[in-house]
Amino acid sequence: MDKPVIVTVDDDPGVSRAVARDLRRRYGQQYRVVRAETARDGIEAVKEMRLRGDEVAAILADYRMPQMNGVQFLEAAMDLYPYARRVLLTAYADTDAAIQAINVVDLDHYLLKPWDPPEEKFYPVIDGQLDAWQRTDKVERAELRVVGDRWSAPSYQVRDFLSRNHVPYRWMLAEDPEGAQLVKAAGDGCHLPLVVTADGETLESPDQATLAAAVGLSTTPATDFYDLIVIGGGPAGLGAAVYGASEGLNTVLVEAHASGGQAGQSSRIENYLGFPDGVSGQQLAERARRQALKFGAELLTAREVTRLEPRGQARVIGFSDGAEIAAHAVILATGVSYRRLTAPGLDDFVGRGVFYGAALTEAPACQDSEVYVVGAANSAGQAAVYLSGFASKVHLLVRGDGLEKSMSHYLIEQIAAIPSIEVHVQTEVVGGAGDGHLESLTLSTKGEERAVDAQWLFVFIGAEPFTGWLGDTVERDAKGFVLTGPDLVQGGRRPRNWPLRREPYFLETNLPGVFAAGDVRAESIKRVASAVGEGAMAVALVHRYLEKQ
């Protein structure tokens, strides 16, 4: 079998030879090293390798090249070899470009020149990239196809689930020629949406568990007992899974829908440390998911947790299908969901013009339309900015007097600089109407009502914690948020189930060994960074708890 290839491209002949020399010295027995001194030659070489069927393990490109810079080269090369690891060679003055490349081409690493000695500054990086490439499933799957109706809530739910779980698919309408052929092939009485898998299996109006299993997502636990169960796959849950697994705990994360939680629906997060050019919620969630898997965490998708109970020293969670798993400790990171609008008529159009959250799958369909966004916090602002790239007009509806109390300053400035975004203060949605999908809204501004034509409404209001399933096991405040640490013992009140002579840890609930992190916790700071931090802190407290058992 031919050796896999490491490609290096640098327009400085001396540097190009040095890179190739160092690579051959370390990896020449297992890999073939191909070098090019121009971006054009590099692209031609990569194209030839693709035609021959060669495997490319890693591509190293210099940032400063005259024909195309390294970021552009890697972007072109990834179309031919999407699984190759991408490394940018850059000088210290170009680190901003390297950081930008992280977002543009999902850069795996950047190396500062010079890297002497290579044993310390070069080989450890390349070792890690080649190891990651070897562990990647590089089988190119055939296309997944989804057929449905334009204004169908079930069709939207299937597309949203696939998109948020990073499963590529092709969407087609049932009345399109190809869509109609697939529906006809499925047989009489086909129930839409129709999902056709890579091997030709057809799923009619599948539920999430069936769909998850069909596309290869993990839904079944590998064992019945773990060191740590993390419930919820948002930033807090993913942070807990990464730190728990990396510190040697046998960790499983259980998510009902898709990794990322509410933050995963954000079109752009620009105030998260380390991403000066911003990162989408889906990108951040996917990287965290891959990181958790890298450290050995197990991730279960489309599994709904319905109960939590103590059994001696074990903490047991039950699923909606009756199955259960147990662990020494549990971290609750179920997050929050957007609150529903109560205006008459809107519930009839959820998934058919009314969407709770960013609904990124719908944005391209908003091209040249007017859209309405409800909310005054960062999530609403991010959605308005993102949708302005598609819609002819974005109306941001704010119940209060302005955005300053709840939205970050940088977002307020961005919104003010985009002419197609109009902010309507003291405005609420009081009604919706349509035939089969949303067609109009009734708005109230300072008590005066008016009707507007509208097919798109995106809602980002309030926060309802997903905690009703906990019953009386875990104490919560009046709004349903989980009480932890000092909040449990205010006024000298001792929580139920709490041992004598023991005070709860900062993030621990009234049930010893059960912790809460992120938005679901009472008095938490509702930011992505703080949620990740609480997830990591909860793991540290789990270690302390386990040491005392």
Side-chain angles (χ1 to χ4, degrees):
M1 183 180 294
D2 292 338
K3 297 176 182 178
V5 181
I6 300 174
V7 179
T8 172
V9 183
D10 197 306
D11 68 314
D12 185 323
V15 174
S16 178
R17 286 192 294 270
V19 174
R21 179 200 64 217
D22 286 346
L23 289 170
R24 291 189 180 107
R25 182 182 301 165
R26 176 87 164 201
Y27 308 106
Q29 294 295 320
Q30 296 85 28
Y31 297 87
R32 182 161 59 94
V33 177
V34 174
R35 75 178 182 93
E37 293 184 2
T38 69
R40 183 178 292 111
D41 289 346
I43 287 295
E44 289 303 317
V46 171
K47 287 180 178 178
E48 289 179 11
M49 284 181 262
R50 182 64 176 171
L51 290 173
R52 289 197 304 265
D54 293 338
E55 285 191 293
V56 174
I59 303 173
L60 288 69
D62 181 51
Y63 175 66
R64 293 195 176 189
M65 294 189 291
Q67 296 163 337
M68 63 173 69
N69 65 38
V71 175
Q72 294 167 331
F73 178 86
L74 291 173
E75 192 170 14
M78 69 187 290
D79 291 336
L80 298 168
Y81 284 101
Y83 301 106
R85 307 299 288 183
R86 296 174 286 277
V87 179
L88 191 68
L89 307 178
T90 181
Y92 182 80
D94 296 323
T95 52
D96 284 348
I99 293 171
Q100 178 188 5
I102 291 173
N103 297 321
V104 175
V105 296
D106 200 15
L107 187 70
D108 295 302
H109 208 283
Y110 68 89
L111 275 167
L112 293 177
K113 300 185 293 186
W115 50 74
D116 289 331
E119 288 76 16
E120 294 180 11
K121 299 181 179 180
F122 186 66
Y123 293 144
V125 170
I126 304 303
D127 286 347
Q129 297 307 316
L130 294 177
D131 178 65
W133 177 79
Q134 290 171 348
R135 289 186 287 104
T136 299
D137 179 10
K138 295 178 282 293
V139 177
E140 295 190 14
R141 295 175 173 82
E143 191 175 55
L144 184 79
R145 289 164 290 177
V146 179
V147 185
D149 294 322
R150 177 68 196 89
W151 297 109
S152 162
S155 294
Y156 161 71
Q157 290 163 2
V158 165
R159 290 158 51 220
D160 185 61
F161 178 81
L162 293 172
S163 177
R164 293 182 61 192
N165 281 287
H166 305 274
V167 178
Y169 68 93
R170 187 154 64 95
W171 162 248
M172 56 191 74
L173 296 174
E175 58 264 29
D176 291 342
E178 188 176 353
Q181 289 176 0
L182 291 173
V183 172
K184 182 178 180 180
D188 295 335
C190 175
H191 297 285
L192 299 179
L194 173 68
V195 178
V196 184
T197 66
D199 57 6
E201 179 187 2
T202 58
L203 307 173
E204 298 183 21
S205 192
D207 58 29
Q208 284 193 358
T210 302
L211 184 58
V215 299
L217 297 175
S218 178
T219 59
T220 305
T223 183
D224 57 5
F225 197 90
Y226 297 84
D227 294 324
L228 173 63
I229 298 172
V230 181
I231 305 175
L238 287 168
V242 167
Y243 283 95
S246 67
E247 293 176 14
L249 296 177
N250 183 16
T251 302
V252 61
L253 182 148
V254 182
E255 168 57 45
H257 303 291
S259 297
Q262 197 178 77
Q265 295 178 279
S266 295
S267 54
R268 203 80 180 156
I269 301 171
E270 296 191 67
N271 59 353
Y272 190 72
L273 184 67
F275 292 90
D277 297 306
V279 62
S280 76
Q282 285 193 352
Q283 286 177 315
L284 191 63
E286 173 61 9
R287 292 178 185 182
R289 187 191 69 83
R290 284 168 22 206
Q291 195 173 16
L293 291 171
K294 167 189 172 182
F295 288 120
E298 185 181 338
L299 273 59
L300 303 181
T301 306
R303 294 303 299 266
E304 182 183 0
V305 179
T306 56
R307 58 186 171 85
L308 167 67
E309 62 181 83
R311 291 184 193 167
Q313 295 298 312
R315 301 294 175 257
V316 180
I317 67 166
F319 297 110
S320 57
D321 62 359
E324 60 184 31
I325 55 176
H328 294 298
V330 172
I331 294 177
L332 303 174
T334 49
V336 297
S337 59
Y338 292 112
R339 198 171 70 244
R340 293 292 184 101
L341 289 173
T342 58
L346 293 184
D347 280 349
D348 297 333
F349 304 120
V350 174
R352 296 185 294 157
V354 177
F355 304 94
Y356 289 87
L360 301 182
T361 56
E362 300 303 298
C366 298
Q367 191 75 41
D368 300 327
S369 300
E370 294 195 20
V371 304
Y372 290 79
V373 178
V374 179
N378 280 6
S379 53
Q382 290 159 351
V385 171
Y386 179 73
L387 290 167
S388 69
F390 300 90
S392 60
K393 186 82 172 181
V394 176
H395 300 272
L396 183 57
L397 311 181
V398 180
R399 185 174 60 178
D401 296 328
L403 301 172
E404 290 74 12
K405 290 183 180 179
S406 51
M407 190 177 292
S408 295
H409 179 67
Y410 80 91
L411 264 178
I412 296 175
E413 288 188 324
Q414 283 187 21
I415 289 170
I418 300 175
S420 61
I421 300 179
E422 183 177 352
V423 180
H424 304 264
V425 298
Q426 298 184 30
T427 300
E428 298 182 66
V429 178
V430 296
D435 182 10
H437 64 90
L438 181 68
E439 293 179 317
S440 67
L441 292 171
T442 302
L443 307 181
S444 174
T445 301
K446 299 179 182 179
E448 295 185 7
E449 294 188 1
R450 69 185 191 279
V452 296
D453 293 334
Q455 290 187 319
W456 306 97
L457 176 67
F458 300 87
V459 183
F460 304 82
I461 59 168
E464 293 183 341
F466 180 57
T467 56
W469 61 276
L470 289 168
D472 295 330
T473 307
V474 173
E475 292 195 18
R476 306 184 296 283
D477 67 12
K479 295 182 179 180
F481 291 92
V482 176
L483 295 169
T484 61
D487 294 326
L488 282 167
V489 294
Q490 287 180 353
R493 180 169 58 89
R494 180 167 292 277
R496 292 178 290 104
N497 304 326
W498 200 259
L500 295 175
R501 293 186 239 169
R502 186 177 187 278
E503 293 300 318
Y505 295 120
F506 173 57
L507 299 179
E508 196 168 19
T509 70
N510 63 290
L511 183 59
V514 176
F515 301 79
D519 289 357
V520 75
R521 188 180 67 83
E523 305 302 325
S524 65
I525 298 173
K526 305 301 188 273
R527 287 288 187 270
V528 174
S530 59
V532 173
E534 287 194 6
M537 184 186 297
V539 171
L541 298 178
V542 165
H543 277 292
R544 291 188 193 178
Y545 168 78
L546 294 178
E547 288 170 359
K548 295 184 179 181
Q549 297 309 298

